Amino acid sequence: MPATPIKRDSYHHGDLRAALLEAGEAVLSETGVAGFSLRQVARKVGVSHSAPAHHFGDANGLLIALATDGFRRFLTAMQRRRDQAPEEIRERIFASALGYLDFAQSSPALFRLMFNGDVCGPANQTLEQASHASFMHLADDVSALRQKSALEDASVMADVLASWSTVHGYADLLISGRMDTVQGLTPDEQEAFFRQVFMRVIA
Amino acid sequence: MPATPIKRDSYHHGDLRAALLEAGEAVLSETGVAGFSLRQVARKVGVSHSAPAHHFGDANGLLIALATDGFRRFLTAMQRRRDQAPEEIRERIFASALGYLDFAQSSPALFRLMFNGDVCGPANQTLEQASHASFMHLADDVSALRQKSALEDASVMADVLASWSTVHGYADLLISGRMDTVQGLTPDEQEAFFRQVFMRVIA
DNA sequence: TGTACATCAGTGAACGCGCGTTCACTGATGTAC
DNA sequence: TGTACATCAGTGAACGCGCGTTCACTGATGTAC
């Protein structure tokens, strides 16, 4: 992971906003939400501690921005896997779920933040949209599988939430280190095991 | 919720340890891990700010104790539901899952703490045991359903983890306010909907 | 093309606050004899 | 049964620290004319 540039020639940073997001994510994963502070993030970027206020207001503003950006990358992670999958609809849903796990495992702290609800409560429209988009990604494919819209049919909605709950719970248990079973396996074996688990739901 | 007694006649508290746990949980749910501090907990109990150190060392010690105690109550919540359920094994598993949801919904902050992994990493045996016991509760019933031990058969283990992931994910999405579908329903309707979801996994 | 000026992005000193930790203390309880 | 003493639980003052917030500032950029 490339370090955020500490030195610069100009008085202005150039792209401080992006740099703060990057550093913010690093701080988040190093210290957790508990130790998160704007000053620490500023320090990491090599900028005055009052500079972040110009872009995010306060710490919560930065966290919301992080979560929003996180949801976009989350969706991308699912799409990337899905696009590589065979045409068959179940395979595509399974592939999206793998993308879900990819993201959770590569950015566990951010994943937690996004689904925490504490820091980013309601009241942020951009965040809500990004979050909703990633839900719809899964809902659409399950609807296609069932050839009926989840929004119209409660049974299809139950399918969607069963898939979603399963992959979400699996991800959360995985990153909290509670999946002893899977710990010793190779990536391929892990995928095969998760396939067993997930296919029980969309079979 | 009864307030922790602020006044006392004696110099000694009587059962400060228990009072600190109770207040600690309240602080946790009010401020989240981010705002959690020993001084705040002491203040809530009405005791000197350095008193907690005698019982828990530091803030992390109190959090670990909270999580450990949480796992015990978590197990109890599942057992209580299960004991009221019909004999049929699927019904008992489903009932345990309802207990899982009960606990998560009544103590969301504690639930998060228990499954966070950050605060309570490894290295605490009592916590590990309590956590493991609640896992086995589910694993045993699923093993009974399949008439084979999950510890010996990977396919049974996949069943266990499918059930666990589903109920865990459902709980987590529920308390993070991302289950719009369920929001407007009555408790009975909610249970019926969750039954639809969960039975897909243990059918 | 050049100048003047407004706006924006980042600085750094200052402040007050809540925190954890330490420490000498004091009140209560239990135990030995 | 009474006394002496050790141990334990809780106190409160003191300290240093990192934090968020404020504010007057300065360097850079863009725009009007």
Side-chain angles (χ1 to χ4, degrees):
Chain A
M1 190 168 292
T4 307
I6 297 288
K7 289 182 178 181
R8 69 207 127 94
D9 347 1
S10 152
Y11 185 87
H12 286 86
H13 181 278
D15 197 1
L16 183 56
R17 194 191 142 86
L20 288 171
L21 281 173
E22 190 186 340
E25 192 180 341
V27 170
L28 189 64
S29 60
E30 284 160 19
T31 70
V33 207
F36 190 84
S37 80
L38 274 189
R39 279 176 109 112
Q40 212 177 149
V41 176
R43 217 177 294 131
K44 181 153 262 172
V45 177
V47 95
S48 142
H49 65 258
S50 38
H54 288 280
H55 296 272
F56 300 105
D58 57 9
N60 200 50
L62 176 51
L63 289 176
I64 288 180
L66 273 173
T68 307
D69 189 52
F71 269 113
R72 294 204 193 93
R73 287 157 48 197
F74 179 52
L75 181 56
T76 304
M78 289 193 282
Q79 284 169 337
R80 181 165 39 223
R81 281 279 202 166
R82 204 191 90 136
D83 291 349
Q84 295 167 357
E87 277 293 316
E88 206 273 308
I89 186 70
R90 275 188 190 77
E91 284 300 325
R92 300 177 98 184
I93 297 174
F94 175 66
S96 290
L98 286 178
Y100 205 113
L101 298 186
D102 287 344
F103 181 83
Q105 288 186 285
S106 67
S107 310
L110 184 55
F111 180 77
R112 284 259 157 73
L113 177 72
M114 286 156 52
F115 287 98
N116 197 0
D118 274 0
V119 185
C120 9
N124 187 291
Q125 213 187 340
T126 318
L127 175 61
E128 283 305 310
Q129 281 172 359
S131 162
H132 187 69
S134 57
F135 168 70
M136 288 312 290
H137 173 83
L138 188 59
D140 285 346
D141 273 355
V142 174
S143 296
L145 173 67
R146 293 285 310 272
Q147 300 182 305
K148 219 181 265 180
S149 165
L151 302 175
E152 292 164 4
D153 188 311
S155 145
V156 178
M157 184 55 92
D159 276 325
V160 172
L161 290 187
S163 325
W164 196 22
S165 295
T166 306
V167 63
H168 182 75
Y170 197 92
D172 199 48
L173 293 171
L174 210 53
I175 64 180
S176 68
R178 245 160 263 272
M179 284 264 173
D180 304 346
T181 324
V182 160
Q183 224 73 341
L185 307 181
T186 68
D188 279 357
E189 289 170 335
Q190 289 195 23
E191 183 174 320
F193 184 78
F194 177 63
R195 177 183 286 271
Q196 273 196 75
V197 169
F198 193 71
M199 283 305 174
R200 277 164 169 71
V201 183
I202 57 169
Chain B
M1 191 169 295
T4 307
I6 298 287
K7 290 182 178 180
R8 67 206 130 96
D9 347 0
S10 151
Y11 185 86
H12 285 85
H13 181 279
D15 197 1
L16 184 56
R17 195 192 142 86
L20 288 171
L21 281 172
E22 190 187 339
E25 192 179 340
V27 169
L28 189 64
S29 61
E30 283 159 20
T31 70
V33 209
F36 191 83
S37 80
L38 273 190
R39 279 177 109 112
Q40 212 177 149
V41 176
R43 217 177 294 131
K44 180 153 263 173
V45 177
V47 95
S48 143
H49 65 258
S50 39
H54 288 282
H55 297 272
F56 299 105
D58 57 10
N60 200 51
L62 177 51
L63 289 176
I64 288 180
L66 274 172
T68 307
D69 189 53
F71 269 113
R72 293 205 194 94
R73 286 157 48 197
F74 178 53
L75 180 56
T76 304
M78 289 193 281
Q79 284 169 336
R80 182 165 38 226
R81 282 278 202 169
R82 203 191 91 137
D83 292 348
Q84 295 167 358
E87 278 293 314
E88 206 273 308
I89 185 70
R90 275 189 190 77
E91 284 301 325
R92 300 177 98 187
I93 297 175
F94 175 67
S96 290
L98 287 177
Y100 205 114
L101 298 186
D102 286 344
F103 181 84
Q105 287 186 286
S106 66
S107 310
L110 185 54
F111 180 78
R112 283 261 157 72
L113 177 71
M114 286 156 51
F115 287 99
N116 196 1
D118 274 0
V119 185
C120 8
N124 187 290
Q125 214 188 340
T126 318
L127 175 61
E128 284 305 310
Q129 281 172 359
S131 162
H132 186 70
S134 56
F135 169 70
M136 288 313 290
H137 173 82
L138 188 60
D140 285 347
D141 273 356
V142 174
S143 296
L145 174 67
R146 291 287 308 273
Q147 300 182 305
K148 220 182 263 180
S149 166
L151 302 175
E152 292 165 3
D153 188 312
S155 146
V156 178
M157 185 55 93
D159 276 325
V160 173
L161 290 188
S163 326
W164 196 21
S165 295
T166 306
V167 64
H168 182 75
Y170 196 92
D172 199 47
L173 293 171
L174 209 52
I175 64 180
S176 69
R178 245 160 262 272
M179 283 264 174
D180 305 346
T181 324
V182 160
Q183 224 73 340
L185 306 181
T186 68
D188 279 356
E189 289 170 334
Q190 289 195 23
E191 183 175 320
F193 184 78
F194 177 63
R195 177 182 285 272
Q196 273 196 73
V197 169
F198 193 71
M199 284 304 174
R200 278 165 169 70
V201 183
I202 57 170

